[in-house]
Amino acid sequence: MDHAATGDEGAERTWCLAEVDIFCDLSESEMEAIAAAAPMKTYQAGEILYSPTQPSEVLFILKKGQVRVFRVSADGRALTTAVISPGTIFGEMVLLGQHMYDNYAEALEDTIVCVMSRADVNRLLLTDARITTILGRRLAELEQRLSDSVFKTVAQRIATTLTTLTSAQPPAGPLRPVGRHPQIALTHEQLAALAGTSRETCTKVLHDYADRGLLRLARGRITVLDLNQLKDAAG
């Protein structure tokens, strides 16, 4: 009984790593060793994973859910700089050149992450050239997204947020005929918070996109009708 429970838990941890491309070339035993050093932690929607007011050196591997990275402006407004989907690595880890700077990380929904300490990263990741090569590329891509979002217009940020949320969804199943058009369950106010703008401005942009045939709007739900055009609008 105990062995079965332990095996199930180990398989769950290994699956967490198997979803991340930096571990794709590792053997099962290699992933098990890393998984044992990367315990999973669960956060509820609205909980803060990382705060610059209580900094810690930790590397997160997002397994399930979505996390938004945001910074707080001088006037107290939260500006979302990234929406992170499963399989993404983020956090504060000097060894990897990965920084959160003054950003917070907040769970947008119930979220599960694998957590690695500095010692774990040094012992398990930085000794493997296969991992460091891919890891460097992934971290550079995330840094670029964080930088890009700051300089985009409000309309571009809203389009970027919608395309990010859409791409993070699982593929539609054969029993879901509406699956051809991805749907996002967000109010205009929630989307505005993610895009770092006001609800009024967000509503105006959404109606413009709807008039252009990119979206269909309903109460608490946004249906993406033309993902390619929406990506173009994101810049």
Side-chain angles (χ1 to χ4, degrees):
M1 182 74 68
D2 291 339
H3 285 297
T6 303
D8 290 344
E9 184 180 347
E12 183 76 0
R13 286 200 303 263
T14 302
W15 181 85
C16 168
L17 300 180
E19 293 298 296
V20 184
D21 61 2
I22 69 168
F23 303 118
C24 63
D25 292 331
L26 301 187
S27 66
E28 185 69 22
S29 62
E30 288 173 320
M31 279 198 292
E32 287 175 358
I34 295 177
M40 291 187 293
K41 189 169 182 179
T42 301
Y43 292 86
Q44 294 183 334
E47 280 196 274
I48 299 295
L49 287 71
Y50 181 90
S51 168
T53 61
Q54 295 180 318
S56 59
E57 194 167 21
V58 62
L59 189 72
F60 297 103
I61 304 171
L62 181 56
K63 172 190 173 183
K64 180 182 178 182
Q66 289 187 327
V67 171
R68 76 155 172 160
V69 178
F70 69 95
R71 63 186 58 162
V72 179
S73 64
D75 59 4
R77 291 185 302 114
L79 173 62
T80 300
T81 54
V83 177
I84 297 174
S85 55
T88 302
I89 295 173
F90 65 102
E92 178 74 21
M93 189 59 59
V94 175
L95 289 170
L96 301 174
Q98 171 70 4
H99 301 284
M100 290 294 287
Y101 301 108
D102 291 327
N103 286 291
Y104 294 77
E106 175 193 23
L108 288 177
E109 56 193 41
D110 290 349
T111 294
I112 300 175
V113 292
C114 296
V115 186
M116 299 190 77
S117 68
R118 178 189 177 98
D120 296 332
V121 169
N122 189 37
R123 178 169 57 90
L124 297 169
L125 300 189
L126 297 186
T127 55
D128 195 314
R130 295 169 299 177
I131 292 177
T132 54
T133 298
I134 301 175
L135 185 58
R137 183 171 67 246
R138 286 293 296 272
L139 295 180
E141 289 172 354
L142 179 57
E143 288 287 333
Q144 185 62 49
R145 288 200 299 273
L146 293 177
S147 175
D148 286 348
S149 63
V150 175
F151 299 103
K152 288 185 175 182
T153 66
V154 172
Q156 288 176 321
R157 292 205 304 270
I158 291 173
T160 298
T161 302
L162 289 173
T163 56
T164 300
L165 292 172
T166 299
S167 62
Q169 293 183 355
L175 300 182
R176 288 168 48 205
V178 297
R180 288 173 295 177
H181 296 310
Q183 293 185 335
I184 300 167
L186 284 178
T187 65
H188 293 192
E189 186 172 1
Q190 291 170 326
L191 180 60
L194 289 177
T197 187
S198 67
R199 182 186 61 79
E200 293 78 11
T201 300
C202 181
T203 296
K204 181 178 179 180
V205 171
L206 287 175
H207 280 292
D208 176 60
Y209 285 153
D211 290 342
R212 292 162 54 185
L214 279 63
L215 308 171
R216 182 169 62 241
L217 305 177
R219 187 176 182 85
R221 189 169 298 276
I222 301 166
T223 302
V224 177
L225 302 177
D226 194 326
L227 184 56
N228 289 331
Q229 284 197 49
L230 192 63
K231 288 179 178 178
D232 289 340

